[in-house]
Amino acid sequence: MDEMVALRCKYCGAPLDKKDLEDDSPYVTCPSCGTTQQRVDAKAYLDQLMGQVRSWINQAIPGGAMMTQSENVDSVARYNIFVNNVRPKVDLEYGEYRFALNSLISHSMIVLPFSTDQSLRPGHTSAQAFEFGAKMKEIEPLAVDQDSKSMISGAERASDAYALLINNCKLLQEDKPGRYLLLANNFSAAAKDFSTMDGYQPAQQRFDALSKICLGCDKLLNGDVPSSLGHFGQGLTGLQQAAQGLMGSLKVGIMMQAVDLEIKQTKVMNEIAGFLQGGSDPLKTLAAIRSLFTYQYPSAGNWGYLLNNRDRFSEVFANMSACLAARNGSETVPIAAGGGDYLVPFWYVKLDYSFQTGSLWKKHGVQVSEDLLIPADFVVDAGCLNDPATAVTDVFSSRVQQGMFAGITGSETSISNSQGIGKIAQSAAPNSIGGRKVIVPLSTKREAERLVEQYVQNVAAREAKLKLSNPEVKGLIYIPCNRTGDSYSVPADFGSLTPQRVARTNLPSLVII
Amino acid sequence: MAKTNIATFKFGLTDVDSAKLKTECDLAVEEITASNSKDGYMARGKALIGVAQKYQSLIGDDPLKLDEMFKGNTASTGTRESLILQAMAYETMGKGAVLEDPKQGAEFMQMAYNFRRQLGDSGDEDLNLMKAYSRSAKCWICGRPMSGEGVHFIAAPSNVTPMFKKGSENDIIRSYTDDCRSIYICLPCYTAISNRADAISRNYYNQAMTEMRAMEVRLEAEIAEVRSSVALVRR
């Protein structure tokens, strides 16, 4: 039976569950990677693994010192063997694994339901890391003094935690049913390993919290919303505690950015669960979430880097979360005045610029402040990315009439005209969504800034009068619009400045809640 | 700035919040003080981490107005500055710690490398230092094991013949490089040999100079003799 308990998964190298092994079934399922295999295959893998471990030990220690009799070998001899033969080899390999572990934990290690993360690339396979742990277990009897014992124990724990996290990286790369339970198991076991390592307490807190969050996701996807809310709440608290301990932690301070991102993602999940509990159609909402996470964004030109960066999702999720909260009535979003059954998000931009007017001694600069709006779904339209003017209310396309000689005499007050855009923007006030449908913003503030910067650059290239400019994206406002076919019509105050993107909008392809 | 009651002011086309700018100025002063601290590398590193923490908590993802106003850089944020300071802090601690504990130094450099990567830098310099600090070898001369290439030991060019290579092929820690063109020497052995070689060279140099001076005197005497002979013949 002891041998059965020690069986290892032939796919990832993880120890198999004792309960499964006691069963009579010829098949066993790995609790870490979720793969089902024949018992005989697991036994064969164990034999192969132990062969590799023995070969490694034979290379490390001088001939004659048998591990099976190591307890009987004089402690001074064991100490000398360890210090002179084993420790240098362990030091080298452990250094590599520790480096890889630290690199791995500096990444966010959770994904929202239906999404995957292909960016995680561990430096080793889980089988390699588990094998290193097995080697450490085998050489344990050689460690006589406290220092050696703690070194071996630390190496064993670190490699075990690393192997479990590698398995989680694989699980994060594939959206398969039941993955959140496996993720939770692995995070929980890794947290247990970190709990015994000096200076790794924030890591223990983080992975314990992630385990709870994964359980919450599993419950959420299985329709048990109240339980998921409890798990998310506990997970969020755990991550916040971990974040407090991270700054200044010389061992795991590198996790700070990752934990911040995980906190944002957990808040979104909490909002989703809250929304589902509010009585809305869970299937419909989950479908909306799925489409948000699996959206295919254009990756052309300079936009590829921004749009393929998964950090952007935290802001997109936060905006979606705000919409859900406003729908629940727990929060508000800025909504412009007017009637319409659809609330369409626009980025509100304040554009301050200066231009030169007049000639000869009349030449001088004039400062102007304009209001711009950008449909917040512009990132799904390659046309907008290639020609920013089609995604903004193009204020430089129309001018206030100022007479023929205004440019010569220097009496021009503006080279642009934002018509009624300012009126719309200023009417926006915090409000709840009520019974209206809301389109989820798909772009981030940084992306809106970039778009408007490119727009102003293009204008400056053709308009020599334009000198300095300072576009500032103030934030999102939701404008009530009416649906017309698969698109929508904007309020009359847009005048002739309606962005071309509006006509190109295909509502069924957007995320609407 | 603390004495003024102006909430915001305009700098060119940019609206600047006075309170936020004051916070930035205070943090900039703290950053300079921490960078110039003379309290040792660990204290300096921890002070930099302290300032990084403040940038993160007080400014966060907001842009740094000082950078925008004086450098025209609009991409700089509190979070980014925090990452830069943390990378600098671990680099400082790594370069200091390596003198006493190369493994610890390597760990700090690894942290610095990870922070540089988060900033979008290659971090190659930190990675190379991390690899060098963690590299272990055995001194060819005294046989002591050591870590920290470039700090505690160096690779000296030499020819390691196959016979020596064969004799230590199974060693976990080797005393020569993989290409067998250099041997590892620990700093104490290296400096002892180097100092002794310097002393011997100096001795030979002094000896050579003494002999040259004697020869110079002798030659000058001979030249003077020839000159006087020539003068006598001319008369």
Side-chain angles (χ1 to χ4, degrees):
Chain A
M1 193 66 223
D2 280 349
E3 186 182 63
M4 297 299 274
V5 172
L7 284 186
R8 299 263 181 162
C9 169
K10 75 166 185 171
Y11 295 101
C12 73
L16 294 172
D17 203 344
K18 194 177 171 183
K19 279 180 195 167
D20 279 352
L21 294 167
E22 283 167 356
D23 202 351
D24 288 338
S25 167
Y27 298 100
V28 279
T29 302
C30 173
S32 183
C33 70
T35 321
T36 301
Q37 60 214 282
Q38 287 198 41
R39 198 182 287 260
V40 285
D41 288 340
K43 173 79 175 65
Y45 176 74
L46 177 68
D47 291 342
Q48 183 197 331
L49 174 76
M50 291 322 290
Q52 282 166 346
V53 171
R54 273 191 288 273
S55 157
W56 182 85
I57 291 169
N58 288 340
Q59 275 181 8
I61 61 177
M66 298 293 288
M67 289 305 296
T68 46
Q69 302 157 1
S70 55
E71 293 291 354
N72 303 326
V73 178
D74 172 49
S75 61
V76 176
R78 272 192 282 155
Y79 177 79
N80 283 335
I81 291 171
F82 185 81
V83 170
N84 296 320
N85 302 89
V86 178
R87 186 167 187 148
K89 200 169 168 68
V90 171
D91 258 346
L92 277 180
E93 288 191 36
Y94 181 35
E96 263 183 49
Y97 282 106
R98 203 166 41 182
F99 173 75
L101 172 67
N102 280 348
S103 293
L104 188 59
I105 61 174
S106 68
H107 290 93
S108 164
M109 296 208 68
I110 193 166
V111 288
L112 287 134
F114 313 119
S115 62
T116 59
D117 182 357
Q118 308 296 329
S119 68
L120 290 163
R121 293 270 180 270
H124 302 86
T125 63
S126 51
Q128 286 173 321
F130 276 126
E131 187 186 315
F132 181 70
K135 289 171 188 170
M136 295 303 100
K137 184 95 186 147
E138 281 296 301
I139 58 166
E140 235 170 15
L142 286 176
V144 180
D145 62 317
Q146 197 51 44
D147 184 39
S148 308
K149 278 181 182 169
S150 62
M151 188 242 184
I152 290 295
S153 147
E156 196 184 332
R157 298 286 178 194
S159 58
D160 190 51
Y162 178 45
L164 292 162
L165 296 179
I166 294 172
N167 273 349
N168 275 6
C169 291
K170 280 189 230 155
L171 291 166
L172 293 172
Q173 285 167 4
E174 199 184 348
D175 182 15
K176 64 176 184 183
R179 66 170 172 163
Y180 279 109
L181 267 186
L182 296 170
L183 284 164
N185 285 344
N186 290 338
F187 280 137
S188 177
K192 211 172 166 187
D193 286 325
F194 284 125
S195 69
T196 56
M197 291 167 66
D198 193 28
Y200 279 79
Q201 203 213 354
Q204 181 216 337
Q205 287 174 319
R206 175 191 176 193
F207 291 111
D208 256 338
L210 289 184
S211 168
K212 290 191 176 83
I213 293 160
C214 286
L215 283 177
C217 285
D218 186 68
K219 298 278 179 199
L220 183 70
L221 293 174
N222 287 313
D224 185 359
V225 179
S227 299
S228 74
L229 274 168
H231 285 302
F232 288 146
Q234 287 172 7
L236 190 58
T237 311
L239 283 180
Q240 283 162 341
Q241 282 170 353
Q244 280 173 0
L246 278 177
M247 186 59 91
S249 161
L250 298 182
K251 291 270 185 198
V252 287
I254 194 68
M255 299 193 312
M256 198 177 63
Q257 294 282 100
V259 171
D260 270 352
L261 191 59
E262 286 161 358
I263 287 174
K264 285 177 191 165
Q265 289 176 324
T266 310
K267 282 180 179 171
V268 175
M269 288 192 246
N270 210 21
E271 280 298 339
I272 292 169
F275 182 63
L276 289 173
Q277 200 183 30
S280 301
D281 183 349
L283 286 176
K284 232 175 178 178
T285 310
L286 285 175
I289 295 162
R290 176 193 278 269
S291 55
L292 180 70
F293 298 154
T294 54
Y295 225 101
Q296 293 298 311
Y297 295 95
S299 55
N302 294 330
W303 285 92
Y305 172 74
L306 272 180
L307 298 179
N308 291 323
N309 181 359
R310 57 190 293 280
D311 283 0
R312 68 186 295 277
F313 277 109
S314 62
E315 191 179 332
V316 175
F317 298 149
N319 289 333
M320 181 181 182
S321 170
C323 292
L324 291 170
R327 188 76 190 263
N328 289 346
S330 59
E331 278 181 38
T332 55
V333 288
I335 300 175
D341 48 354
Y342 277 77
L343 292 178
V344 183
F346 281 80
W347 289 105
Y348 171 42
V349 183
K350 197 85 188 156
L351 174 65
D352 290 343
Y353 70 89
S354 66
F355 73 97
Q356 197 175 56
T357 183
S359 57
L360 302 173
W361 64 92
K362 293 277 190 184
K363 193 183 276 184
H364 67 281
V366 179
Q367 192 179 322
V368 185
S369 186
E370 291 286 18
D371 299 295
L372 266 72
L373 289 174
I374 304 170
D377 60 2
F378 74 90
V379 285
V380 300
D381 186 342
C384 294
L385 306 181
N386 294 329
D387 181 8
T390 64
V392 302
T393 49
D394 188 1
V395 293
F396 290 100
S397 65
S398 76
R399 291 190 185 192
V400 179
Q401 294 300 315
Q402 296 170 109
M404 276 177 69
F405 301 107
I408 300 167
T409 58
S411 60
E412 272 180 312
T413 54
S414 172
I415 55 168
S416 58
N417 184 3
S418 55
Q419 299 180 23
I421 300 298
K423 195 176 144 193
I424 298 171
Q426 276 144 29
S427 73
N431 217 329
S432 63
I433 288 167
R436 290 172 286 191
K437 288 184 172 172
V438 60
I439 297 174
V440 175
L442 297 174
S443 55
T444 65
K445 191 177 178 185
R446 176 70 201 111
E447 287 154 9
E449 279 168 356
R450 189 187 173 101
L451 185 92
V452 75
E453 277 165 12
Q454 285 186 354
Y455 164 67
V456 175
Q457 268 175 19
N458 291 350
V459 173
R462 65 166 197 266
E463 176 60 81
K465 285 183 172 182
L466 182 64
K467 297 299 174 193
L468 298 171
S469 64
N470 181 34
E472 188 188 351
V473 177
K474 293 283 187 186
L476 281 167
I477 60 168
Y478 292 79
I479 300 175
C481 299
N482 284 310
R483 183 170 182 154
T484 48
D486 279 345
S487 184
Y488 60 91
S489 54
V490 293
D493 285 328
F494 272 76
S496 62
L497 297 181
T498 305
Q500 290 176 33
R501 163 67 197 154
V502 172
R504 293 202 293 255
T505 302
N506 179 25
L507 285 178
S509 72
L510 298 179
V511 183
I512 301 170
I513 52 175
Chain B
M1 289 212 56
K3 288 175 186 169
T4 63
N5 292 322
I6 307 163
T8 58
F9 65 90
K10 240 178 158 45
F11 186 87
L13 296 173
T14 311
D15 284 316
V16 183
D17 184 312
S18 302
K20 282 186 180 172
L21 189 64
K22 181 186 173 295
T23 309
E24 267 185 53
C25 292
D26 290 342
L27 289 177
V29 171
E30 279 189 45
E31 186 180 331
I32 293 165
T33 312
S35 305
N36 296 332
S37 166
K38 307 274 185 216
D39 298 336
Y41 63 90
M42 280 305 282
R44 189 156 69 241
K46 283 178 180 169
L48 284 169
I49 289 173
V51 184
Q53 192 170 9
K54 287 184 183 174
Y55 267 106
Q56 179 71 41
S57 59
L58 298 176
I59 298 179
D61 289 333
D62 288 343
L64 293 178
K65 289 291 177 193
L66 278 177
D67 272 23
E68 189 179 333
M69 289 159 69
F70 297 111
K71 295 178 191 165
N73 177 9
T74 52
S76 196
T77 63
T79 305
R80 191 175 164 76
E81 190 66 17
S82 171
L83 289 174
I84 292 170
L85 286 173
Q86 286 186 81
M88 282 167 59
Y90 283 104
E91 282 161 3
T92 305
M93 292 193 287
K95 285 172 187 172
V98 70
L99 296 174
E100 289 174 21
D101 184 351
K103 299 273 176 204
Q104 180 70 70
E107 265 184 44
F108 285 145
M109 293 316 291
Q110 192 209 346
M111 298 286 272
Y113 166 73
N114 280 330
F115 280 113
R116 291 274 171 215
R117 297 285 294 172
Q118 286 187 357
L119 281 163
D121 296 348
S122 73
D124 285 347
E125 200 180 317
D126 291 338
L127 184 66
N128 290 338
L129 280 175
M130 190 277 289
K131 283 180 181 167
Y133 291 173
S134 59
R135 192 165 294 139
S136 297
K138 198 160 60 178
C139 178
W140 181 274
I141 293 162
C142 68
R144 282 187 171 85
M146 62 221 166
S147 298
E149 188 176 7
V151 181
H152 298 292
F153 70 91
I154 57 151
S158 178
N159 285 330
V160 181
T161 55
M163 185 194 79
F164 292 104
K165 194 184 167 192
K166 204 176 171 186
S168 54
E169 252 172 352
N170 292 329
D171 286 359
I172 300 155
I173 300 178
R174 292 188 184 168
S175 49
Y176 54 90
T177 54
D178 290 341
D179 60 5
C180 297
R181 290 186 174 184
S182 300
I183 56 166
Y184 291 122
I185 309 177
C186 70
L187 209 65
C189 285
Y190 175 79
T191 44
I193 294 167
S194 176
N195 290 344
R196 183 69 190 128
D198 282 354
I200 292 167
S201 304
R202 205 172 292 117
N203 189 36
Y204 277 121
Y205 171 80
N206 291 339
Q207 203 177 329
M209 289 307 286
T210 311
E211 282 178 15
M212 277 173 70
R213 277 193 201 104
M215 189 163 64
E216 192 183 352
V217 170
R218 199 168 62 243
L219 286 171
E220 274 177 3
E222 280 176 14
I223 290 164
E225 196 183 317
V226 171
R227 274 183 185 153
S228 65
S229 303
V230 171
L232 277 172
V233 171
R234 278 184 184 165
R235 277 179 206 159

